[in-house]
Amino acid sequence: MHRETPDELAREVVELLDDGAKRERIDRRARARIEERYTWEEIRPELLGRVNDVLE
């Protein structure tokens, strides 16, 4: 949600609170996107690199 004013953001939040079906649609799309982008194969090299940096 990218809104220009606090009032616009508040209206959008209230709408989501009132609309369970919309919340579920957003949730499903967000979860699918996260699962596609952040697989173990994708994050492993960066994670291991950071761990190695800390241990050095």
Side-chain angles (χ1 to χ4, degrees):
M1 291 185 294
H2 299 287
R3 301 298 174 243
E4 296 294 321
T5 68
D7 287 340
E8 289 173 334
L9 177 60
R11 277 192 296 276
E12 186 74 18
V13 169
V14 169
E15 180 181 329
L16 287 173
L17 289 172
D18 290 340
D19 189 342
K22 185 175 183 177
R23 279 194 318 272
E24 288 178 24
R25 285 191 307 273
I26 290 171
D27 178 60
R28 282 193 304 272
R29 286 193 309 253
R31 183 175 183 91
R33 188 172 188 178
I34 294 297
E35 288 175 349
E36 290 169 5
R37 287 186 167 189
Y38 298 103
T39 64
W40 177 243
E41 290 77 22
E42 292 290 325
I43 66 168
R44 181 180 34 221
E46 182 177 346
L47 177 62
L48 292 176
R50 289 178 186 253
V51 169
N52 286 330
D53 290 345
V54 168
L55 296 176
E56 290 179 351

